[in-house]
Amino acid sequence: MPYSAEIIVVGCGNILFADDGFGPEVIKALGDYSKENPLPDNVMLIDAGTGGPHFVFSLPHEEWKKMIVVDVVQFNAEPGTVRKFSVDEIPEGSYENVHSWPVNQPLHDLANVCEVMVIGCKPEHISAPDVEMGLTKSVEDAIPEAIKLILKEIGVS
């Protein structure tokens, strides 16, 4: 089983649309961090990109105890603000991918199988449908805070 771990950290988003690439960039930075600070063996990092959420949310594994989704989330805060959301805190329609596919329901369904949370960052600019590579400074600067929250959730710090 390719996604066999107790704790799954999933970065969602599209690196082609500016801040929408936050999730994949956090997974990349966390992977770099783990080269010198190995993560526990029960943790798996997944850069799910844009097509990954459906696949991951549709195929929960019995071994999963916790899923940490990393993505941009529209909420009332300054761009670059990072916080942890429970599935119940995400209002309907506020958490969608760039194709406006609501992922609230799959997250709620998955919460019946394992603990699910979202480490969300308020985006400054999502360029879709125009291609713009790279995060804005406020969102790029938020990556260390996201990593800090993730490490706390996986019991490393």
mmCIF file of all heavy atoms in Angstrom, residues 90-108:
data_model
loop_
_atom_site.group_PDB
_atom_site.id
_atom_site.type_symbol
_atom_site.label_atom_id
_atom_site.label_comp_id
_atom_site.label_asym_id
_atom_site.label_seq_id
_atom_site.Cartn_x
_atom_site.Cartn_y
_atom_site.Cartn_z
ATOM 1 N N ILE A 90 -14.356 24.198 9.232
ATOM 2 C CA ILE A 90 -14.276 24.644 7.844
ATOM 3 C C ILE A 90 -15.681 24.773 7.288
ATOM 4 O O ILE A 90 -16.357 23.779 7.050
ATOM 5 C CB ILE A 90 -13.431 23.670 7.008
ATOM 6 C CG1 ILE A 90 -12.025 23.629 7.607
ATOM 7 C CG2 ILE A 90 -13.395 24.094 5.551
ATOM 8 C CD1 ILE A 90 -11.101 22.695 6.932
ATOM 9 N N PRO A 91 -16.124 26.027 7.106
ATOM 10 C CA PRO A 91 -17.476 26.223 6.616
ATOM 11 C C PRO A 91 -17.647 25.701 5.189
ATOM 12 O O PRO A 91 -16.707 25.730 4.404
ATOM 13 C CB PRO A 91 -17.667 27.744 6.640
ATOM 14 C CG PRO A 91 -16.475 28.318 7.277
ATOM 15 C CD PRO A 91 -15.429 27.271 7.343
ATOM 16 N N GLU A 92 -18.834 25.244 4.903
ATOM 17 C CA GLU A 92 -19.116 24.721 3.575
ATOM 18 C C GLU A 92 -18.811 25.780 2.522
ATOM 19 O O GLU A 92 -19.183 26.938 2.671
ATOM 20 C CB GLU A 92 -20.583 24.299 3.482
ATOM 21 C CG GLU A 92 -20.886 23.537 2.223
ATOM 22 C CD GLU A 92 -22.268 22.926 2.272
ATOM 23 O OE1 GLU A 92 -22.745 22.636 3.387
ATOM 24 O OE2 GLU A 92 -22.843 22.752 1.201
ATOM 25 N N GLY A 93 -18.132 25.374 1.481
ATOM 26 C CA GLY A 93 -17.807 26.283 0.388
ATOM 27 C C GLY A 93 -16.557 27.104 0.605
ATOM 28 O O GLY A 93 -16.094 27.775 -0.308
ATOM 29 N N SER A 94 -15.981 27.071 1.801
ATOM 30 C CA SER A 94 -14.796 27.882 2.057
ATOM 31 C C SER A 94 -13.518 27.136 1.745
ATOM 32 O O SER A 94 -12.454 27.729 1.694
ATOM 33 C CB SER A 94 -14.758 28.327 3.511
ATOM 34 O OG SER A 94 -14.554 27.213 4.350
ATOM 35 N N TYR A 95 -13.606 25.872 1.519
ATOM 36 C CA TYR A 95 -12.412 25.077 1.293
ATOM 37 C C TYR A 95 -12.623 24.260 0.037
ATOM 38 O O TYR A 95 -13.253 23.221 0.049
ATOM 39 C CB TYR A 95 -12.151 24.177 2.498
ATOM 40 C CG TYR A 95 -10.848 23.420 2.406
ATOM 41 C CD1 TYR A 95 -9.644 24.102 2.353
ATOM 42 C CD2 TYR A 95 -10.832 22.040 2.367
ATOM 43 C CE1 TYR A 95 -8.453 23.415 2.263
ATOM 44 C CE2 TYR A 95 -9.647 21.347 2.284
ATOM 45 C CZ TYR A 95 -8.463 22.033 2.230
ATOM 46 O OH TYR A 95 -7.289 21.343 2.136
ATOM 47 N N GLU A 96 -12.116 24.792 -1.055
ATOM 48 C CA GLU A 96 -12.289 24.146 -2.346
ATOM 49 C C GLU A 96 -10.963 24.198 -3.088
ATOM 50 O O GLU A 96 -10.137 25.054 -2.837
ATOM 51 C CB GLU A 96 -13.345 24.871 -3.181
ATOM 52 C CG GLU A 96 -14.698 24.884 -2.527
ATOM 53 C CD GLU A 96 -15.724 25.637 -3.343
ATOM 54 O OE1 GLU A 96 -15.329 26.390 -4.255
ATOM 55 O OE2 GLU A 96 -16.911 25.460 -3.071
ATOM 56 N N ASN A 97 -10.798 23.288 -4.014
ATOM 57 C CA ASN A 97 -9.588 23.362 -4.819
ATOM 58 C C ASN A 97 -9.798 24.358 -5.950
ATOM 59 O O ASN A 97 -10.848 24.973 -6.065
ATOM 60 C CB ASN A 97 -9.163 21.974 -5.324
ATOM 61 C CG ASN A 97 -10.073 21.438 -6.402
ATOM 62 O OD1 ASN A 97 -10.873 22.159 -6.994
ATOM 63 N ND2 ASN A 97 -9.940 20.160 -6.665
ATOM 64 N N VAL A 98 -8.779 24.528 -6.782
ATOM 65 C CA VAL A 98 -8.846 25.568 -7.805
ATOM 66 C C VAL A 98 -9.920 25.303 -8.846
ATOM 67 O O VAL A 98 -10.283 26.194 -9.605
ATOM 68 C CB VAL A 98 -7.491 25.745 -8.515
ATOM 69 C CG1 VAL A 98 -6.465 26.278 -7.529
ATOM 70 C CG2 VAL A 98 -7.026 24.451 -9.158
ATOM 71 N N HIS A 99 -10.430 24.124 -8.889
ATOM 72 C CA HIS A 99 -11.509 23.820 -9.828
ATOM 73 C C HIS A 99 -12.865 23.878 -9.129
ATOM 74 O O HIS A 99 -13.850 23.379 -9.644
ATOM 75 C CB HIS A 99 -11.282 22.451 -10.457
ATOM 76 C CG HIS A 99 -9.956 22.346 -11.131
ATOM 77 N ND1 HIS A 99 -9.651 23.049 -12.268
ATOM 78 C CD2 HIS A 99 -8.838 21.669 -10.792
ATOM 79 C CE1 HIS A 99 -8.398 22.786 -12.615
ATOM 80 N NE2 HIS A 99 -7.883 21.961 -11.731
ATOM 81 N N SER A 100 -12.862 24.472 -7.935
ATOM 82 C CA SER A 100 -14.090 24.659 -7.167
ATOM 83 C C SER A 100 -14.751 23.338 -6.801
ATOM 84 O O SER A 100 -15.960 23.245 -6.685
ATOM 85 C CB SER A 100 -15.083 25.555 -7.911
ATOM 86 O OG SER A 100 -14.525 26.825 -8.083
ATOM 87 N N TRP A 101 -13.954 22.331 -6.620
ATOM 88 C CA TRP A 101 -14.492 21.058 -6.171
ATOM 89 C C TRP A 101 -14.457 21.059 -4.657
ATOM 90 O O TRP A 101 -13.401 21.095 -4.044
ATOM 91 C CB TRP A 101 -13.631 19.915 -6.714
ATOM 92 C CG TRP A 101 -14.127 18.562 -6.342
ATOM 93 C CD1 TRP A 101 -15.321 18.001 -6.670
ATOM 94 C CD2 TRP A 101 -13.427 17.590 -5.570
ATOM 95 N NE1 TRP A 101 -15.401 16.748 -6.142
ATOM 96 C CE2 TRP A 101 -14.264 16.471 -5.474
ATOM 97 C CE3 TRP A 101 -12.188 17.565 -4.951
ATOM 98 C CZ2 TRP A 101 -13.886 15.334 -4.771
ATOM 99 C CZ3 TRP A 101 -11.812 16.429 -4.252
ATOM 100 C CH2 TRP A 101 -12.655 15.323 -4.171
ATOM 101 N N PRO A 102 -15.610 21.102 -4.007
ATOM 102 C CA PRO A 102 -15.603 21.159 -2.547
ATOM 103 C C PRO A 102 -15.050 19.881 -1.943
ATOM 104 O O PRO A 102 -15.440 18.790 -2.328
ATOM 105 C CB PRO A 102 -17.072 21.357 -2.190
ATOM 106 C CG PRO A 102 -17.845 20.959 -3.381
ATOM 107 C CD PRO A 102 -16.949 21.071 -4.573
ATOM 108 N N VAL A 103 -14.114 20.037 -1.034
ATOM 109 C CA VAL A 103 -13.522 18.867 -0.386
ATOM 110 C C VAL A 103 -13.980 18.731 1.059
ATOM 111 O O VAL A 103 -13.478 17.896 1.785
ATOM 112 C CB VAL A 103 -11.979 18.889 -0.468
ATOM 113 C CG1 VAL A 103 -11.514 18.712 -1.900
ATOM 114 C CG2 VAL A 103 -11.421 20.140 0.141
ATOM 115 N N ASN A 104 -14.941 19.557 1.461
ATOM 116 C CA ASN A 104 -15.452 19.466 2.819
ATOM 117 C C ASN A 104 -15.997 18.079 3.119
ATOM 118 O O ASN A 104 -15.669 17.483 4.140
ATOM 119 C CB ASN A 104 -16.572 20.481 3.057
ATOM 120 C CG ASN A 104 -16.073 21.889 3.007
ATOM 121 O OD1 ASN A 104 -15.394 22.267 2.062
ATOM 122 N ND2 ASN A 104 -16.400 22.670 4.014
ATOM 123 N N GLN A 105 -16.848 17.571 2.230
ATOM 124 C CA GLN A 105 -17.487 16.287 2.507
ATOM 125 C C GLN A 105 -16.484 15.142 2.590
ATOM 126 O O GLN A 105 -16.544 14.344 3.533
ATOM 127 C CB GLN A 105 -18.581 15.989 1.473
ATOM 128 C CG GLN A 105 -19.452 14.805 1.866
ATOM 129 C CD GLN A 105 -20.109 14.997 3.241
ATOM 130 O OE1 GLN A 105 -20.698 16.045 3.511
ATOM 131 N NE2 GLN A 105 -19.995 14.005 4.120
ATOM 132 N N PRO A 106 -15.534 15.043 1.631
ATOM 133 C CA PRO A 106 -14.539 13.966 1.789
ATOM 134 C C PRO A 106 -13.753 14.076 3.099
ATOM 135 O O PRO A 106 -13.431 13.057 3.711
ATOM 136 C CB PRO A 106 -13.618 14.150 0.579
ATOM 137 C CG PRO A 106 -14.466 14.820 -0.440
ATOM 138 C CD PRO A 106 -15.383 15.711 0.346
ATOM 139 N N LEU A 107 -13.473 15.299 3.548
ATOM 140 C CA LEU A 107 -12.763 15.454 4.821
ATOM 141 C C LEU A 107 -13.632 14.992 5.980
ATOM 142 O O LEU A 107 -13.150 14.326 6.904
ATOM 143 C CB LEU A 107 -12.340 16.913 5.029
ATOM 144 C CG LEU A 107 -11.182 17.398 4.174
ATOM 145 C CD1 LEU A 107 -10.941 18.887 4.390
ATOM 146 C CD2 LEU A 107 -9.907 16.617 4.464
ATOM 147 N N HIS A 108 -14.909 15.341 5.947
ATOM 148 C CA HIS A 108 -15.823 14.900 7.009
ATOM 149 C C HIS A 108 -15.947 13.374 7.004
ATOM 150 O O HIS A 108 -15.963 12.750 8.064
ATOM 151 C CB HIS A 108 -17.191 15.561 6.858
ATOM 152 C CG HIS A 108 -17.219 16.975 7.342
ATOM 153 N ND1 HIS A 108 -17.514 17.315 8.636
ATOM 154 C CD2 HIS A 108 -16.943 18.131 6.715
ATOM 155 C CE1 HIS A 108 -17.440 18.615 8.796
ATOM 156 N NE2 HIS A 108 -17.087 19.143 7.629
#
